[in-house]
Amino acid sequence: HTALDAALWCLEILDQLPNTTWPSRGDFSIQNCIPEVQMGIHSGQYEEARAHPATGYMYYFGAIVNRTARIANTAKPGQIMTSKATILELQQTTSYIEKKQ
């Protein structure tokens, strides 16, 4: 996936959160609550990936994963933070798209 894919996914999630129906558990309902999420995007190659044996979900390892977590941690709720590497990749992608149009 690309930095543009990641940015569009983050924007989609932030857009859908207010309209999401959340399950109730007994006396507790979060219907009127919107989770506050912090998101971070960093571009690069992970060092290792393994599928979880029971779920099949992929787990990624390496410095890039740690850096992405630190970037996400700098975001305020509802914000998407990116690294300079991601901004440069997004600029190259949008420049390419503009030239093709």
Side-chain angles (χ1 to χ4, degrees):
H1 297 282
T2 66
L4 183 58
D5 293 332
L8 292 172
W9 182 84
C10 288
L11 290 169
E12 180 71 19
I13 294 301
L14 289 178
D15 185 53
Q16 288 183 14
L17 276 175
N19 303 316
T20 301
T21 302
W22 302 97
S24 297
R25 288 188 165 179
D27 295 340
F28 181 71
S29 174
I30 57 172
Q31 294 304 319
N32 296 322
C33 299
I34 299 170
E36 296 180 333
V37 296
Q38 299 164 255
M39 297 183 178
I41 307 170
H42 181 50
S43 300
Q45 185 63 41
Y46 55 87
E47 294 171 22
E48 182 183 356
R50 287 188 296 236
H52 187 277
T55 65
Y57 290 122
M58 293 301 294
Y59 286 89
Y60 298 91
F61 302 91
I64 191 167
V65 178
N66 298 333
R67 170 110 192 229
T68 305
R70 288 193 298 274
I71 291 167
N73 195 44
T74 66
K76 294 180 178 150
Q79 273 188 327
I80 304 166
M81 298 297 284
T82 67
S83 65
K84 186 174 182 177
T86 298
I87 291 172
L88 292 173
E89 185 179 333
L90 287 168
Q91 288 172 336
Q92 290 172 351
T93 301
T94 54
S95 175
Y96 174 77
I97 291 170
E98 288 171 356
K99 287 178 184 176
K100 297 237 0 157
Q101 292 180 351

